[in-house]
Amino acid sequence: MTKRFNTIDGETLMTMPFKPINFIIQNLLSEGLHILAGTPKVGKSWLALWLSVAVAKGEEVWGNKVKRGDTLYLCFEDSQIRIQNRLFDITDEATDKVNFCTENAMLGGELEERIVNFIKEHPDTVLIIIDTLQMIRNTTKDNNYANDYSDLTILKKVSR
């Protein structure tokens, strides 16, 4: 049997009906798995916190509308007092729709089950942030591309 690519022509592709992309932050952050990456200490955790609060409160982000809902910020490198201090710096008023957890859980262990249970308990969840990826990874593995792919595939399945 001759091996061939399974292709689709442009005309057919352009006539196929697809569901529109659902955005959490219009034109900026869609549903699904995303990675926020940058050099250490540039403010990624501050941005993650601000996004968690803004989405939970239904506040626009940089002029973009948000899909308001429950958020979960898994801030595994922080303490509750540190998060509280940062909250006071970014908002005058938090909401009970933004949730925080500083208690670490490992990927391939309890993390996925805890996320699924959180979503069951908070069916309006629209955003979950894990800060940081390294904190949930199995430290006995090398952190090469294959392991990154494997770990992110697990998270992608949970994010659907």
Side-chain angles (χ1 to χ4, degrees):
M1 178 188 263
T2 304
K3 300 269 184 188
R4 296 182 177 205
F5 287 111
N6 182 17
T7 63
I8 186 169
D9 65 83
E11 182 180 357
T12 302
L13 184 59
M14 289 188 73
T15 61
M16 292 177 67
F18 290 104
K19 289 174 41 178
I21 297 171
N22 289 324
F23 282 93
I24 305 306
I25 303 171
Q26 188 178 31
N27 301 317
L28 186 63
L29 186 68
S30 63
E31 291 180 345
L33 178 65
H34 304 277
I35 295 177
L36 174 62
T39 58
K41 305 299 177 196
V42 295
K44 296 179 300 293
S45 293
W46 280 94
L47 177 60
L49 176 64
W50 177 66
L51 292 174
S52 295
V53 171
V55 170
K57 292 171 73 174
E59 296 177 344
E60 287 190 357
V61 171
W62 299 314
N64 296 291
K65 293 181 180 179
V66 303
K67 180 179 180 180
R68 184 175 187 261
D70 288 302
T71 65
L72 174 60
Y73 182 22
L74 302 174
C75 37
F76 296 143
E77 293 184 321
D78 294 318
S79 64
Q80 288 182 348
I81 192 166
R82 184 174 187 193
I83 297 300
Q84 182 190 55
N85 288 335
R86 287 183 172 192
L87 273 174
F88 281 126
D89 285 340
I90 65 167
T91 187
D92 294 330
E93 177 181 318
T95 171
D96 64 352
K97 295 187 83 52
V98 61
N99 299 273
F100 305 95
C101 181
T102 58
E103 175 186 290
N104 197 9
M106 299 303 290
L107 189 61
E110 296 181 3
L111 180 68
E112 300 93 316
E113 181 180 358
R114 288 182 182 195
I115 289 173
V116 168
N117 288 335
F118 180 87
I119 293 168
K120 285 178 185 173
E121 294 166 7
H122 300 87
D124 292 332
T125 299
V126 295
L127 180 64
I128 297 173
I129 294 174
I130 300 171
D131 187 5
T132 67
L133 179 61
Q134 190 58 37
M135 292 295 294
I136 65 168
R137 300 181 90 176
N138 184 338
T139 56
T140 60
K141 295 193 299 187
D142 291 332
N143 290 325
N144 62 29
Y145 178 79
N147 290 326
D148 291 345
Y149 192 88
S150 174
D151 290 346
L152 294 174
T153 298
I154 293 168
L155 291 173
K156 188 173 182 179
K157 287 178 185 175
V158 175
S159 72
R160 291 184 181 162

